[in-house]
Amino acid sequence: MIGNNYSLTTRDMWNMIPGNSTELTYNANNQPTQIDFYEGVTLVFSQLFTYDANNNPIKIECVAP
C-alpha cells in the first residue's frame, strides 16, 4: 500500500505490465542494494536492501522517490 491506496505499484507482477520496468543496483559483493520501479520513465518507488555482517538480507524498505 502506498499513500493509503492499493494500486498496481504494490503488486508482485510489476514487470508484467507493459511500460513498467525495474532497475537494480548492486554492491561490491554482487548483492542487490536497491530496486527502482518505473512506470514509463517515471520513478514510482524504490526498495532498499540492508545486509548484516554475514551478508544476509535483514531488511527491505520501500521509499518514495
Side-chain angles (χ1 to χ4, degrees), residues 1-3 5-12 14 17 20 37-39 44-45 47 62:
M1 184 167 53
I2 297 176
N5 293 310
Y6 289 96
S7 67
L8 291 175
T9 59
T10 60
R11 296 186 183 175
D12 290 332
W14 182 266
I17 301 166
N20 286 0
F37 292 78
Y38 289 89
E39 187 173 353
V44 178
F45 66 95
Q47 290 179 333
C62 183

